[in-house]
Amino acid sequence: DKKILSTIKTTLFKYDKYKYHIGYTGYLDDDDLRGMATLIDIAEFANDICIHVVGGSLKMKKLWQTRADKKGLSNIHFYGYVSPVKIPYYLDCFDVVLAPLKYRPIDRAPTGQNMSPLKLAQYMAYSKAIVASDIPSHYDFLKNGKNAILVKYDAADKWVEAIYSILKNKKLKAKLEKNALD
């Protein structure tokens, strides 16, 4: 529905101020397994990009927004929980989506504790260009350079490089978006 999309665009934090918008949707935690510290680091490197983090409890939203605010960052915003039926409209507003999960293997989960790649299926279903952590739990879904760009989860400079490579190369962006559906 174009009306809902229009409404969401007008309510997105500083949407008109920035040329590029990247996003993360999903759960937030205080152990940083979801990579929010990486997103804050990306915001420091890429001050011409607005980062939108959609999801998480009110407590987690406040925790991570406070951490970003303490660094003086004005280009990252944490929205907190959003109804799942509205997530596609948020995704539609993002030029690139991120999956910055951290790799923490344990015996019962050798490819990563709490690292469900279900978010990737949603990103792919909406034909989004993805930058994701280069971790084993992503390998069944993502192929570096084909349907995503995979980077080391704690190398913010590499994340920024990957994001800009997509934003500045329309052919690469189109290829990643097309291949996300395959």
Side-chain angles (χ1 to χ4, degrees):
D1 184 300
K2 289 184 181 187
K3 184 178 178 185
I4 294 173
L5 178 60
S6 176
T7 300
I8 287 174
K9 280 187 176 182
T10 61
T11 61
L12 283 174
F13 180 76
K14 298 185 178 182
Y15 190 79
D16 292 335
K17 180 179 177 182
Y18 293 93
K19 181 177 181 181
Y20 300 115
H21 297 272
I22 60 176
Y24 167 91
T25 62
Y27 184 78
L28 306 181
D29 60 24
D30 56 1
D31 292 334
D32 194 31
L33 287 176
R34 303 300 186 266
M36 294 307 106
T38 299
L39 296 185
I40 289 172
D41 291 343
I42 292 168
E44 286 187 284
F45 280 103
N47 57 14
D48 62 335
I49 292 174
C50 193
I51 302 171
H52 305 275
V53 181
V54 180
S57 68
L58 181 60
K59 178 181 174 185
M60 290 299 106
K61 171 194 179 235
K62 287 180 180 178
L63 171 85
W64 289 105
Q65 189 66 62
T66 299
R67 290 180 181 178
D69 292 346
K70 283 183 179 177
K71 291 187 168 213
L73 300 173
S74 62
N75 63 326
I76 185 169
H77 186 72
F78 294 82
Y79 294 87
Y81 174 81
V82 169
S83 170
V85 299
K86 290 186 178 179
I87 294 297
Y89 297 103
Y90 283 89
L91 290 172
D92 195 47
C93 296
F94 303 148
D95 300 301
V96 174
V97 292
L98 309 174
L101 301 175
K102 300 226 172 156
Y103 180 54
R104 191 167 93 180
I106 59 173
D107 289 341
R108 64 177 160 60
T111 61
Q113 180 182 16
N114 299 324
M115 296 299 115
S116 170
L118 291 176
K119 163 192 319 310
L120 300 176
Q122 184 180 45
Y123 287 172
M124 294 168 79
Y126 288 97
S127 191
K128 301 309 294 183
I130 301 168
V131 178
S133 299
D134 188 359
I135 58 174
S137 63
H138 288 166
Y139 297 162
D140 287 337
F141 290 90
L142 303 178
K143 304 297 179 229
N144 190 35
K146 180 179 180 191
N147 62 358
I149 303 294
L150 301 178
V151 294
K152 191 169 184 245
Y153 62 83
D154 60 353
D157 59 327
K158 299 297 181 192
W159 281 82
V160 171
E161 187 178 299
I163 291 164
Y164 279 119
S165 73
I166 295 168
L167 294 174
K168 304 289 184 177
N169 184 334
K170 290 181 182 183
K171 285 184 180 181
L172 174 61
K173 186 174 187 292
K175 172 186 157 185
L176 296 174
E177 291 171 343
K178 179 187 175 296
N179 289 339
L181 290 174
D182 291 343

